[in-house]
């Protein structure tokens, strides 16, 4: 499955399609990338992150870890050989000032940063990939649009 260009809408109506897309994105994702994940609650953002992290663990022949939403602790960190994945969830944050002291975009050489609910971040960082998850009319279908991924 090739990665779609930014104007394309990708069908993610099944978990299998979500896993396939995560595995395709892994081929292009590299340390220093920052990924914003937008979309309503339950639309598949954390499921996508799970397949992304577990896919990277498989590539590196590591034990698969449980990947959960960091809604209550704000950050889950995963070490995959020399790569660190920082998985943030800003759903519970009330203001942009709560983000300032996190040092999100300071040292990113060996880090892939994944941020669910990034709407409060006003200045978009370099190396940004934006994923827009959406429900279809019946909430049984889901789709994704990608912005910022170099083909």
């Amino acid at each position: 499955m090739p990665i779609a260009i930014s104007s394309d809408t990708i069908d993610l109506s099944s978990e299998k399609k979500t896993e396939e897309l995560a595995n395709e994105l892994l081929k292009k994702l590299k340390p220093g990338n920052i990924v914003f994940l937008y979309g309503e609650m339950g639309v598949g953002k954390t499921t996508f992150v799970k397949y992304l992290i577990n896919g990277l663990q498989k590539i590196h022949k590591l034990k698969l870890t449980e990947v959960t939403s960091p809604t209550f602790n704000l950050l889950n960190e995963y070490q995959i050989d020399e790569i660190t994945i920082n998985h943030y969830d800003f759903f519970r944050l009330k203001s942009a000032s709560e983000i300032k002291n996190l040092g999100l975009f300071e040292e990113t050489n060996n880090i892939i940063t994944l941020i669910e609910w990034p709407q409060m971040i006003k200045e978009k960082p370099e190396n940004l990939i934006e994923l827009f998850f959406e429900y279809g009319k019946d909430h049984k279908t889901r789709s994704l649009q990608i912005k910022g991924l170099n083909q």
Side-chain angles (χ1 to χ4, degrees):
M1 165 194 294
I3 298 267
I5 58 173
S6 62
S7 61
D8 289 344
T9 299
I10 303 164
D11 176 34
L12 292 182
S13 295
S14 73
E15 202 164 321
K16 181 71 176 157
K17 289 180 181 183
T18 301
E19 181 179 14
E20 288 171 358
L21 182 64
N23 288 328
E24 284 298 315
L25 183 61
L26 274 176
K27 295 174 185 175
K28 300 217 176 232
L29 202 58
K30 58 188 180 294
N33 283 143
I34 297 160
V35 181
F36 285 2
L37 297 99
Y38 300 91
E40 294 179 53
M41 192 171 292
V43 77
K45 299 180 300 293
T46 302
T47 300
F48 183 83
V49 168
K50 172 184 82 168
Y51 285 120
L52 204 65
I53 291 169
N54 286 164
L56 195 56
Q57 290 169 330
K58 286 177 187 175
I59 290 169
H60 288 263
K61 298 180 181 10
L62 299 172
K63 180 182 175 187
L64 302 186
T65 57
E66 183 178 359
V67 176
T68 60
S69 175
T71 300
F72 294 102
N73 54 343
L74 192 65
L75 167 66
N76 288 340
E77 186 175 283
Y78 303 88
Q79 193 65 43
I80 302 173
D81 290 340
E82 70 284 347
I83 300 168
T84 300
I85 298 180
N86 287 336
H87 177 205
Y88 292 92
D89 186 323
F90 291 168
F91 180 74
R92 294 179 349 118
L93 298 184
K94 303 287 185 246
S95 71
S97 65
E98 295 179 79
I99 298 170
K100 286 181 184 175
N101 295 329
L102 295 176
L104 283 177
F105 311 126
E106 291 172 5
E107 181 61 39
T108 61
N109 291 341
N110 292 326
I111 297 173
I112 296 171
T113 303
L114 309 172
I115 303 174
E116 295 185 45
W117 304 95
Q119 289 83 336
M120 282 192 222
I121 300 172
K122 300 303 175 205
E123 290 185 40
K124 295 195 177 179
E126 292 183 30
N127 299 321
L128 177 64
I129 299 167
E130 294 178 290
L131 305 179
F132 297 88
F133 293 80
E134 292 183 332
Y135 281 115
K137 291 179 183 176
D138 59 4
H139 277 222
K140 291 180 183 176
T141 58
R142 297 172 182 164
S143 62
L144 173 73
Q145 285 193 318
I146 301 173
K147 282 187 178 178
L149 185 64
N150 295 330
Q151 303 302 308

